[in-house]
Every structure is written in C-alpha cells, then in structure tokens.
Amino acid sequence: MTRAQGRTGSKQAEFSHLAENLRFLCGHYSSISEVCRRLGINRQQFNRYLAGSTYPSYRNLKSICDFFGVDREEIMLDHDQFRRLLSSTSDTEDDSRKVPDKLYGILSPMLSRDNKSLDAFEGFYFRYFYSFGFPGYIFRSFVRIYNEDGITYFRQVERSTGRDTAVGERMCMNYHGTAFMMRDRLFLIERELRMDSTFSETILTPNYRANNPYLSGMMLCTSTCAAHQPGSARTVFEYLGKRINVRDALRQCDLYHHTDPEIPDKVKRAITNELAPGEFTLRPTPL
C-alpha cells in the first residue's frame, strides 16, 4: 500500500468515526431538526455529515464540538472508545447535575402537565405595574407566552428609553420564566437574566368574557435597584394577539409617569396599590 493510499484510508476512517459518533450524540436530542436549528446548520448539509459523505468545515466542526461539549480529537475517535470516554465523564457530571427526586417530584407535575387551557394564553401582551424602584411610575413591558417541547414559557422585556429626565438613563431588563395552570389560575415564575438580580412570581385570574383582552393579578418580587427590597403589587396583562408587529409593540414599552395619558385610565385604576375601606390585603382588581 502506498503512502497516499494510507492517507486516504485514514481520512475515510475519520469520516466513518465522525459520522457514527455524531449520530450517537444526536440520539440524546428529540430530533435531528432540533440539533440543526440550535446549531444553525442546514439540515441537508448536516445529513451528509451523518452519512459520512462530507466532512464539516473547520467552522462547522468547531460549532458541533462546542455544542456537544467534546474536543475535535475526541469526536474522531473509534466509536467504542468515544462511548467509553463519554460514559466515564458523564458518570461524574451526572451526579452533580442530577435534580433530586424530591425536587423533581414537586416541579415536574406543574411544568409538564397536559393542560390544553394554557393554549388559549399563548401570544403577546403588554404588562402594566407600578415600578418598585421608581415611585409613581408605571412600567408597560412586553411579554410573550409560548409553548416549546410541551412546556409553556414566557419572556418579558422591561425597558426605559430615558425620555423622562426624572428617571435617568436608558435601561433594559430581560426576564425568562415558565407558566402553568392550577385551579383556574395562571402562575408565572420568572428570573431576570442579564444581572441575575431578581426572581418573581405572578398569579393571574383569567377573564373569559368575550372581547376582554385583560388579565388581572398580583406579583411578588424584589426591586432591581441596590436595596433589593421585596414588594407586592397589582398587575394587568393586555392581550395583543398571536401575530403582531413586535417592533411597533416594543416601541410603546417604557416607564411612564402615573399622570401620563399614554396609560389607559382603567388600567391605572386596576393597578393602583391602595386598600379600599374594610380591606386588609391586596387583591387583583378585575377589568
């Protein structure tokens, strides 16, 4: 066998090992389409990698290795050796990352329950509430509730453009959380992502009256300012639809003074945190 033939055979073996190891790694995900979507690689191109007919570019190979958490040298190993390597590392990692059975038993029924009633709440919303860090100001934030892999999630963008000099500079906070239904109440649990500075819970009362876009509820969280004082407040969600002009909706989100006519009067009344005579606890104000 010539040296050139030897190099060709070695390259073919690398193709074969890569393809087999890649198929094995993809088996840990729900579908090949999910892997391609998360990698940002064309499905047809990825199929050629899986078949061993095409070798990835340096950039794509790096993306693949980074995504699966392996090195380039490792993914080229003989398949049996590769599986042994992964099993030896996962044995130690799984112990530290495993969710305790007790905690899993609490969270799993809430998050993965087959509750079709949540479908009705998917879409985009404005969210209104009095700011915890800027007394007398109302946030109109932007919310999306959506389903992915059987779990209902939501994202919120809370921003101030700085147009009001009394508030100060621009700011933008991003929150990510999950939603579930229990006893005809919509529960939202969220965490601020960028600074990891606050965690909050919201409970909403669904309104089933026709053509009423509002959900009323209560929220509990800490302020994102330095004091991180906990507080509770009334809140209102205004349903915008499932297909909207997102850019236009975001432009309307800001921190508004409570006298600003941009916020509807009925929303202002619903989120006012005052106790009526004879009341001793805050409750949602239906619209």
Side-chain angles (χ1 to χ4, degrees):
M1 182 177 63
T2 66
R3 185 176 300 176
Q5 289 172 326
R7 285 197 298 269
T8 301
S10 175
K11 197 68 174 177
Q12 288 174 341
E14 279 191 1
F15 274 41
S16 176
H17 296 334
L18 172 64
E20 193 171 8
N21 293 337
L22 199 51
R23 291 194 297 268
F24 172 72
L25 291 169
C26 289
H28 293 83
Y29 290 81
S30 60
S31 66
I32 301 298
S33 296
E34 179 194 357
V35 174
C36 292
R37 185 176 68 251
R38 295 174 66 174
L39 278 170
I41 296 178
N42 178 273
R43 174 66 186 269
Q44 289 183 329
Q45 182 70 22
F46 196 77
N47 282 342
R48 289 194 281 270
Y49 302 158
L50 294 174
S53 60
T54 301
Y55 193 80
S57 66
Y58 175 82
R59 180 179 178 180
N60 281 355
L61 183 59
K62 185 178 185 305
S63 297
I64 290 169
C65 290
D66 290 345
F67 176 75
F68 289 113
V70 297
D71 293 333
R72 180 188 179 282
E73 293 75 16
E74 292 172 343
I75 204 170
M76 299 299 176
L77 291 172
D78 172 85
H79 183 60
D80 290 337
Q81 188 178 357
F82 181 71
R83 292 191 63 160
R84 286 195 299 270
L85 175 69
L86 259 60
S87 64
S88 64
T89 56
S90 62
D91 286 344
T92 57
E93 291 176 354
D94 287 347
D95 289 341
S96 62
R97 297 179 183 177
K98 182 180 178 183
V99 177
D101 291 340
K102 190 172 183 178
L103 179 59
Y104 182 80
I106 294 171
L107 298 177
S108 180
M110 295 188 297
L111 303 182
S112 60
R113 62 178 58 198
D114 184 18
N115 198 329
K116 295 296 183 184
S117 57
L118 275 171
D119 295 348
F121 299 102
E122 291 184 26
F124 298 93
Y125 296 80
F126 284 144
R127 178 181 189 172
Y128 302 91
F129 61 95
Y130 271 94
S131 167
F132 289 79
F134 300 95
Y137 284 82
I138 297 171
F139 266 117
R140 175 156 65 188
S141 61
F142 184 64
V143 171
R144 179 194 175 203
I145 298 177
Y146 63 100
N147 185 283
E148 187 175 293
D149 299 327
I151 304 293
T152 301
Y153 299 94
F154 81 101
R155 298 190 74 97
Q156 178 184 203
V157 178
E158 185 179 295
R159 65 195 289 260
S160 170
T161 62
R163 64 186 180 87
D164 190 326
T165 56
V167 173
E169 62 185 19
R170 291 168 170 255
M171 64 177 180
C172 184
M173 310 290 286
N174 288 281
Y175 297 79
H176 199 187
T178 186
F180 58 92
M181 290 288 290
M182 187 177 291
R183 297 291 183 182
D184 200 35
R185 294 293 180 264
L186 183 61
F187 288 77
L188 307 174
I189 300 174
E190 62 183 322
R191 180 174 67 90
E192 192 275 316
L193 298 177
R194 186 168 60 88
M195 295 189 297
D196 199 19
S197 60
T198 189
F199 187 89
S200 70
E201 178 184 354
T202 301
I203 305 175
L204 297 172
T205 302
N207 190 322
Y208 297 107
R209 288 182 296 168
N211 301 318
N212 189 332
Y214 297 106
L215 300 172
S216 299
M218 297 294 303
M219 59 187 294
L220 175 67
C221 72
T222 58
S223 66
T224 54
C225 60
H228 293 302
Q229 288 289 341
S232 63
R234 293 185 172 105
T235 186
V236 165
F237 280 54
E238 180 185 3
Y239 181 67
L240 304 177
K242 291 191 176 183
R243 305 188 72 173
I244 67 167
N245 185 324
V246 172
R247 183 172 297 180
D248 181 61
L250 279 170
R251 277 198 294 265
Q252 299 177 59
C253 293
D254 211 325
L255 191 58
Y256 295 90
H257 192 264
H258 68 91
T259 59
D260 196 315
E262 180 69 20
I263 305 297
D265 287 339
K266 60 181 176 180
V267 171
K268 290 178 183 177
R269 291 192 295 269
I271 63 174
T272 297
N273 296 306
E274 295 179 355
L275 290 175
E279 289 187 346
F280 298 91
T281 59
L282 282 174
R283 296 175 184 271
T285 303
L287 275 81

